[in-house]
Amino acid sequence: MAALLWADCLAQFVMWTMMEYLTEVWKISVVHAAGIVNIFSGLVLVLQLPMQYLVDTIISKYWMLVFSSLAYSVGIGLLTMSTPPVLAGFVGTCSEYKPECIVKGHKILFYAALGLLAFASSSCSVESTEFAEEQLEIAINEHISLSLIQREFFKLLLFMVPVAAIIPISYIKPWNLRFGVSAICTVIATLLFLSGTCTYENKEPEGSPLTSVFRVFVASTTKLFYRLPSDASELYEGNDTDDSFSDSDDSSFVQPTCGLGCLEKAAVILPNGTIEQQETNRWRLCSVTEVEETKRLLRMIPICLTFIIPGVVSSIGNTYFVEQADLLNKKVGNLKATTVILLPYYNNVNKRVAKMYTGCLLLFALMGRKKYVHVVGFAISMVAAILCCITAAMVENRRLDVARSHGLIDKPDAEIPMSLFWLLPQFFLLGCFDGIREKSIDDFFTDQCPRSLSKYATLFSTAVTGLGVIGGVLSVYLVGIISESKGKMHKVVINNLSADVVDVSLESLV
């Protein structure tokens, strides 16, 4: 299982450097490159919900992880093949890292690789933790235990192996070798995971409560021209009553709520057959409880739309911020660092702030104010987002001033004599923003989702954030229009240093 997490870390590293690859090798604009990266990142988040549904209904966790590990290997392999030197002799093109050496075949391989990596990353993110917990529970039941030293050793191994692999890879300059070494490491990780096949216990899918939502839509559509009974007690309830929908001590019947009455037709009992006969087809007859759960989900949509905007802000971290970092001086004394060091820094801040927020959540719960926590947390995260954008804009203005003072505006390949560590404050604030935002939105969905769908609460939150990240493509496009409308000077900067795109995008987000 640790091997799959290592493969996921390598895939994150590859996508972290994708902005640099697209702008340096493909020579496309930052606007275009950011759009590609945002769509990929958004798909990884959005696909987690359907992947979980597939696991619960069709494919078991083990087979999903097998497909995920294979997709990782094939995806990074195709990404390696999409670099100009690899297939230069086969397709008859040049082997240099120039746009004229990239033909249609390279682009097909590249986008196919991104699709496979998006599938692999989303399915691994959803299933790896649950599958590991299942195997651990089985081990405990079989009286297999590990000492404290063994557990700490495995935790250290889980952290150190990907770090030991990523740091040397980040210093490899040729892109075909950088992607190629990552592909080899991913194949090894896949083989390590598959080597434990005989020890894994594969549980068959048991069905998904989300299916009831689809059944309500189908059943209400098929009964669209039937009238609702005047007495709500004549609707079908069945034996799956949920006390959370009942306002009285007698929970034998759930009273339908106002609004979305068309969905209540899914619980209408038809006169042309007995209840027993209609109960056999659950796609034609649903209980009032199932209808109310569906209503609750639909009523969450308006507030969910407000969660899309934070996803737009979050998407600038692995696009514009990375492009900023790539243009700065990376020397630390006599050593030269890489932009990859910002990734663990951001992840560490994210996790630590999330833990602090969880502690505050427990404190508010003891004070009896738990229901306000996710609201306050979301507000705090938005303040952190604004401060992050303001800080990034100020740093970018300074970088522009340094570039102008050294005459580097028209030299896109020149390194700006300004330290990479000027970006630490904005990555710190971005980590604070994402840590609090993720936890507060998760708390909202956990609190508002129907009890039977609580398993999907976090996935709903992730999917909404993913829509925001994809929506960042629109913001990137608008930023490009705004920047180009400012005149020739901005156009020169966009094509060379890509600086004012960052500047205007951050200011517009604020």
Side-chain angles (χ1 to χ4, degrees), residues 140-157:
I140 292 175
N141 293 335
E142 295 177 356
H143 306 289
I144 299 175
S145 60
L146 296 175
S147 66
L148 178 62
I149 296 178
Q150 288 175 315
R151 287 197 297 268
E152 293 302 321
F153 171 76
F154 283 123
K155 287 181 181 179
L156 181 63
L157 188 68

Side-chain angles (χ1 to χ4, degrees), residues 202-475:
N202 185 23
K203 294 184 178 180
E204 295 299 322
E206 300 176 352
S208 170
L210 199 59
T211 303
S212 64
V213 176
F214 301 135
R215 291 196 293 103
V216 169
F217 285 117
V218 173
S220 59
T221 302
T222 57
K223 300 176 183 178
L224 190 62
F225 299 104
Y226 286 87
R227 290 187 176 182
L228 289 171
S230 56
D231 187 358
S233 61
E234 296 180 15
L235 295 173
Y236 175 74
E237 177 49 48
N239 299 319
D240 52 355
T241 303
D242 189 342
D243 294 344
S244 62
F245 290 103
S246 180
D247 296 330
S248 62
D249 295 334
D250 182 11
S251 60
S252 60
F253 178 73
V254 177
Q255 188 68 28
T257 56
C258 298
L260 299 174
C262 59
L263 295 180
E264 295 175 13
K265 294 184 179 182
V268 171
I269 302 174
L270 301 179
N272 55 358
T274 63
I275 295 181
E276 289 76 13
Q277 292 174 336
Q278 296 178 51
E279 282 179 336
T280 58
N281 188 356
R282 298 302 304 274
W283 290 88
R284 292 294 303 275
L285 183 64
C286 302
S287 66
V288 177
T289 298
E290 292 171 334
V291 172
E292 290 303 309
E293 289 177 345
T294 306
K295 285 184 179 182
R296 179 177 288 189
L297 281 181
L298 293 178
R299 286 167 180 155
M300 290 168 61
I301 292 177
I303 189 64
C304 289
L305 295 178
T306 64
F307 297 151
I308 293 178
I309 300 301
V312 176
V313 180
S314 180
S315 67
I316 66 177
N318 59 348
T319 52
Y320 291 137
F321 285 6
V322 175
E323 187 65 18
Q324 276 183 303
D326 186 53
L327 300 168
L328 298 180
N329 179 17
K330 306 174 186 65
K331 288 186 177 180
V332 183
N334 295 326
L335 300 176
K336 188 172 184 179
T338 66
T339 57
V340 178
I341 63 173
L342 296 173
L343 180 60
Y345 171 74
Y346 159 78
N347 288 334
N348 187 45
V349 173
N350 188 325
K351 292 179 181 179
R352 289 186 180 276
V353 171
K355 287 183 179 180
M356 292 174 59
Y357 176 80
T358 303
C360 295
L361 180 66
L362 296 175
L363 180 61
F364 271 78
L366 293 175
M367 297 171 57
R369 296 290 187 270
K370 185 178 179 180
K371 64 180 181 179
Y372 301 112
V373 173
H374 57 262
V375 179
V376 175
F378 186 70
I380 293 174
S381 70
M382 292 308 298
V383 172
I386 294 174
L387 293 176
C388 174
C389 292
I390 292 174
T391 302
M394 294 172 63
V395 172
E396 183 58 27
N397 283 331
R398 173 178 171 78
R399 193 184 71 82
L400 276 175
D401 293 339
V402 173
R404 290 191 186 98
S405 63
H406 288 79
L408 300 176
I409 290 294
D410 296 323
K411 297 178 181 179
D413 297 327
E415 187 177 78
I416 307 299
M418 176 177 168
S419 175
L420 171 72
F421 298 101
W422 275 87
L423 301 182
L424 290 183
Q426 65 196 56
F427 272 97
F428 174 81
L429 290 170
L430 184 66
C432 294
F433 159 67
D434 280 337
I436 299 176
R437 173 191 60 81
E438 292 169 3
K439 193 67 176 66
S440 58
I441 295 179
D442 285 350
D443 290 341
F444 168 79
F445 278 98
T446 302
D447 182 57
Q448 297 298 322
C449 269
R451 190 177 304 170
S452 64
L453 298 175
S454 59
K455 176 182 180 180
Y456 291 90
T458 302
L459 296 177
F460 287 137
S461 167
T462 303
V464 170
T465 303
L467 292 176
V469 174
I470 295 176
V473 176
L474 178 61
S475 73

Side-chain angles (χ1 to χ4, degrees), residues 76 78 83 92 101 125 178 199 333 415 465 496-497:
I76 300 184
L78 291 179
T83 57
C101 298
S125 299
R178 181 181 292 190
T199 63
E415 187 177 78
T465 303
N496 293 332
L497 291 179

